[in-house]
Amino acid sequence: MAMKKQGGGDKRRRVVLVPYPFQGHITPMLQLGSILQSRGFSVTVSHPQYNSPPPSAHPELEFHSLYDGLAGYDMSFHNLLAAIYAMNENCRASLDEYLVQLMEKEEEEEKPVIIYDNIMFFVDAVATHLKIPTIVLRPFSAIYLHSLLSVLQQSDAIFPFQDDSILEPLPDLHPLRFKDLPFPTINNDVLEPVVEFSVRSNDIRSSVACIWNSLEELEHSALSKLQQRYKVPFFPIGPFHKRASDSSTSLLEEDTSCLEWLDRQAPGSVLYISIGSLVNISEKDLVETAWGLANSEQPFLWVVRPGSVNGCDQLPEDFERVIGDRGRIVKWAPQRSVLSHRAVGGFMSHCGWNSTLESISEGVPMICTPVISDQPVNARYISQVWKVGLELEKAERGVVETTIRKLMVGSEGRELRKRVVDLKLKLESCMQKGGSSYQALDELVEFISSLP
Ligand code: UDX
């Protein structure tokens, strides 16, 4: 346990967590908080006001709100980079003030340790000024960061590329293709602001270590290449959700009624569909997905998040009549409970890293429908390297229908299911005593406790 003796009593060392305030990042940070608290640390989550996490679901953690100046700011996807820079600027004074007060109040011999999401890069300046040690949390996959840095390194040779090279392999990045580039492009060229942001947010500066929601067994090669580059200790202690408390980390209200509907379905029969919390799809993709699902004749649970469709998010007029009780549509699901439900036999996913880990951890094979950023990279590894999912070649109803049948009732689906269950068992053993993730967590606890 991470305790030190002080005046005869046990005193817990304080860890201050600074999350990036979006669902896919808040979730792993809260889970990390829960893990560290259970290993003997006092944990404060120091978060921007925007998308405040729900404190009542986490009585074991303390919460502190940072002034972010984002009230009234355009937080839509197209303005995200500007919002990130504004947040990094605006939260600085507030974090500085909080840490000074914390150190005065606690009269600790030891300073707190800060763990921050790499996108909250302002933390480095505050911590350096106050001489507080920091560790970076990487909530994305290592394969994504490795591919991003490799592409940027060879950008002069890669950009701009020809339209017809979209299916060609990216140099030195097997099995990725130009199609899977880990950032947006315009006219097949890289955007300067994206390059600047990528460099800035992935520079760990004075941080003394990196924590990964991953495992050696899943991403050994990328982790070791990145470790050579960053030259600080790495702690791949994932998957976090399997160690953390079961408390909800959702910012949106979960529709738990779908669990009762799942209870009435046959084992392994239901396809679950979600594109996570951030990305959108087009109106056309919504309609094609709907008819693909209907024509596949397989039971399904579909999350259609409000605002997730560019354009009209109305489902086709007679869709609900055609599917009857065979399909269930919700605005937001308790995803971890859904994936661990015995009725769920497949996940059509955008391949966000949390969703990927959650699906593998429950032995659920996937249909990959990536949109941007890390998702195409994760999708490629799911289908080509770990071989636990199928790529959706085209968002057309006929292709959706046949891919769903392949996964849910075809022989290929049976093979994928077998492999994902094998992978799940392998990850479970890594989390047990003697396993790599178990050992990395022990080492992390020791490492944090020994920081000056
Ligand atoms: C974002 C990025 O888009 C993703 O690519 C990156 O890896 C992390 O940040 P997001 O798109 O939301 O995250 O995807 P993901 O990482 O899968 O996280 C979504 C989380 O929301 C998961 O933990 C999932 O369990 C949860 N979720 C999703 C629900 O609880 N209910 C839902 O209905 C949908």
Side-chain angles (χ1 to χ4, degrees):
M1 295 290 270
M3 293 187 181
K4 64 171 181 163
K5 294 277 182 198
Q6 211 180 50
D10 280 337
K11 182 93 178 141
R12 289 163 163 248
R13 183 151 197 187
R14 183 164 300 274
V15 177
V16 176
L17 306 180
V18 184
Y20 170 56
F22 286 90
Q23 184 72 71
H25 294 245
I26 287 177
T27 290
M29 193 61 101
L30 289 176
Q31 290 166 344
L32 178 62
S34 151
I35 296 167
L36 293 177
Q37 193 276 339
S38 74
R39 296 296 297 255
F41 296 97
S42 292
V43 179
T44 305
V45 183
S46 193
H47 58 86
Q49 293 157 307
Y50 180 75
N51 271 350
S52 290
S56 58
H58 297 274
E60 79 279 22
L61 308 177
E62 291 171 41
F63 288 83
H64 165 258
S65 182
L66 296 169
Y67 171 77
D68 61 17
L70 293 178
Y73 207 89
D74 175 6
M75 296 301 285
S76 60
F77 195 72
H78 77 271
N79 202 42
L80 205 51
L81 267 192
I84 290 173
Y85 282 113
M87 189 163 51
N88 271 283
E89 191 54 43
N90 300 342
C91 288
R92 194 184 286 217
S94 194
L95 181 65
D96 192 297
E97 193 182 324
Y98 168 68
L99 291 168
V100 169
Q101 277 173 11
L102 183 73
M103 288 191 288
E104 279 171 10
K105 192 172 90 196
E106 297 207 337
E107 290 173 353
E108 300 241 3
E109 290 157 28
E110 286 176 327
K111 293 191 164 176
V113 175
I114 305 178
I115 300 177
Y116 69 98
D117 188 299
N118 63 287
I119 296 182
M120 304 298 276
F121 43 79
F122 78 96
V123 172
D124 182 77
V126 177
T128 307
H129 164 231
L130 296 173
K131 300 193 171 55
I132 296 175
T134 64
I135 296 175
V136 169
L137 168 66
R138 297 278 336 177
F140 291 99
S141 55
I143 46 176
Y144 160 64
L145 180 58
H146 171 62
S147 59
L148 175 83
L149 297 175
S150 308
V151 170
L152 293 181
Q153 216 161 24
Q154 343 171 38
S155 67
D156 287 347
I158 293 180
F159 299 107
F161 57 89
Q162 302 297 316
D163 274 339
D164 56 8
S165 14
I166 202 86
L167 290 175
E168 296 293 315
L170 274 170
D172 303 328
L173 283 171
H174 176 80
L176 303 186
R177 305 153 300 182
F178 279 78
K179 189 176 182 242
D180 311 309
L181 277 168
F183 43 71
T185 54
I186 284 193
N187 298 330
N188 298 344
D189 208 348
V190 67
L191 311 173
E192 206 41 53
V194 172
V195 174
E196 265 168 43
F197 170 70
S198 302
V199 170
R200 183 113 194 243
S201 60
N202 291 308
D203 177 357
I204 65 164
R205 290 155 213 247
S206 64
S207 289
V208 292
C210 289
I211 299 172
W212 296 84
N213 188 11
S214 191
L215 302 96
E216 275 292 340
E217 279 68 11
L218 208 52
E219 301 200 273
H220 172 73
S221 168
L223 281 166
S224 77
K225 285 179 188 137
L226 289 165
Q227 215 266 328
Q228 284 164 24
R229 178 185 191 114
Y230 284 107
K231 299 187 174 55
V232 294
F234 275 14
F235 300 100
I237 61 165
F240 292 179
H241 71 284
K242 282 292 180 186
R243 294 185 187 287
S245 75
D246 280 342
S247 315
S248 168
T249 54
S250 275
L251 297 171
L252 297 173
E253 194 184 338
E254 295 171 346
D255 183 343
T256 50
S257 69
C258 60
L259 297 174
E260 288 145 33
W261 178 83
L262 283 175
D263 289 342
R264 299 199 295 275
Q265 310 305 316
S269 67
V270 175
L271 179 71
Y272 170 63
I273 306 112
S274 158
I275 55 163
S277 66
L278 201 61
V279 293
N280 288 4
I281 56 169
S282 67
E283 213 174 302
K284 180 171 174 288
D285 286 359
L286 179 85
V287 172
E288 293 301 307
T289 305
W291 288 124
L293 283 167
N295 299 341
S296 76
E297 296 178 330
Q298 305 305 309
F300 65 87
L301 169 61
W302 187 8
V303 179
V304 182
R305 198 186 77 237
S308 65
V309 180
N310 295 325
C312 168
D313 65 0
Q314 288 303 303
L315 288 162
E317 219 171 79
D318 45 352
F319 176 67
E320 300 214 15
R321 183 188 55 76
V322 170
I323 58 164
D325 194 44
R326 181 166 60 73
R328 181 77 193 236
I329 298 156
V330 294
K331 295 190 164 86
W332 190 252
Q335 181 165 303
R336 291 196 293 278
S337 307
V338 166
L339 287 170
S340 62
H341 196 288
R342 57 164 186 78
V344 172
F347 183 10
M348 188 148 122
S349 170
H350 72 312
C351 306
W353 189 234
N354 295 290
S355 293
T356 302
L357 289 175
E358 290 162 14
S359 201
I360 293 175
S361 302
E362 298 306 336
V364 176
M366 283 167 266
I367 293 176
C368 304
T369 59
V371 182
I372 46 153
S373 174
D374 59 326
Q375 299 156 17
V377 177
N378 299 339
R380 224 31 206 162
Y381 273 70
I382 289 166
S383 66
Q384 304 297 313
V385 178
W386 305 316
K387 298 188 189 328
V388 295
L390 299 168
E391 232 167 299
L392 182 72
E393 303 286 347
K394 256 190 191 154
E396 276 177 11
R397 63 191 72 185
V399 182
V400 174
E401 176 191 337
T402 46
T403 314
I404 292 174
R405 284 183 195 275
K406 241 190 222 175
L407 184 81
M408 300 303 290
V409 288
S411 56
E412 206 173 330
R414 273 197 298 282
E415 282 304 305
L416 293 168
R417 194 155 293 118
K418 204 164 130 327
R419 265 198 300 273
V420 74
V421 169
D422 286 349
L423 188 55
K424 161 196 151 104
L425 295 175
K426 193 168 167 188
L427 299 196
E428 274 172 7
S429 77
C430 297
M431 297 188 71
Q432 284 156 14
K433 202 166 176 157
S436 68
S437 168
Y438 183 99
Q439 195 177 331
L441 179 57
D442 273 354
E443 286 167 7
L444 174 66
V445 170
E446 197 52 45
F447 182 83
I448 298 177
S449 307
S450 66
L451 285 171

